[in-house]
Amino acid sequence: MQKLRNDELGRISIPEFKNSAKLPLIIVLDNVRSAINVGSIFRTADAFRIQHIYCCGITPVPPHRDLLKSALGATESVEWAYFPDTLSCINVLKEKNVKVAAIEQTVKSIPLQQMEVDHSHPLAVVFGHEMHGVSQEVINRCDFSLEVPQAGTKHSLNIAVCTGIVLWEIFRKSLIA
């Protein structure tokens, strides 16, 4: 078994990425504080051709040095914008008929593996602050919540890891549909 070289991977260029069809999925970052996590999320969004990232509140934005270091150029391919507060972002998305899901443990959260992907409209997934999660006021504006099931002793995952799991599951289900 021979490892592939970068030139054998068949990756598209940034202009090709920008012109390509995207998964109708939007990431909303609700006051995520770590630039390294945000950079990792940009890189994962590039991997799954996510439509857009909205950085809200205290969430760092490019060209923050630590963000750029972990994004490895994905800030050039993935479309993004900044909102001073997450509720304003959610309101704009809802006006565009985007369904919004909080990635959070709530009394009505749907286990991620049970989520049904509906291609009739785009979906925005909201990821929250590393310690406090998605704010309650944002959860109140969401259409539903999704939860990544866990079997260990901890109550949460690192946000970049959680984002990767959620995006993969939606991407996988979109390929199957």
Side-chain angles (χ1 to χ4, degrees), residues 3-69:
K3 180 178 173 179
L4 293 174
R5 296 185 317 267
N6 283 348
D7 63 341
E8 296 174 314
L9 294 175
R11 299 293 190 242
I12 61 176
S13 67
I14 290 174
E16 290 170 322
F17 182 97
K18 288 189 177 279
N19 291 320
S20 67
K22 307 292 185 302
L23 187 64
L25 184 62
I26 297 161
I27 297 170
V28 177
L29 301 177
D30 178 25
N31 291 298
V32 175
R33 66 182 175 178
S34 166
I36 293 170
N37 282 335
V38 174
S40 294
I41 291 167
F42 267 89
R43 194 166 161 193
T44 303
D46 175 279
F48 296 118
R49 285 197 205 174
I50 301 307
Q51 189 174 336
H52 205 97
I53 295 176
Y54 289 101
C55 300
C56 304
I58 66 167
T59 304
V61 297
H64 190 286
R65 185 175 69 92
D66 290 338
L67 189 159
L68 295 177
K69 188 187 304 183

Side-chain angles (χ1 to χ4, degrees), residues 72-85:
L72 291 178
T75 56
E76 300 300 318
S77 56
V78 178
E79 296 293 326
W80 67 275
Y82 174 77
F83 274 85
D85 68 276

Side-chain angles (χ1 to χ4, degrees), residues 83-125:
F83 274 85
D85 68 276
T86 309
L87 283 178
S88 297
C89 178
I90 300 297
N91 290 336
V92 167
L93 291 171
K94 285 181 154 282
E95 287 172 9
K96 295 178 180 180
N97 201 29
V98 174
K99 293 293 182 194
V100 182
I103 307 303
E104 188 59 82
Q105 299 163 354
T106 71
V107 294
K108 293 185 178 181
S109 32
I110 300 164
L112 181 61
Q113 72 275 16
Q114 293 177 13
M115 175 195 171
E116 294 183 22
V117 176
D118 177 3
H119 294 285
S120 64
H121 49 74
L123 173 66
V125 287

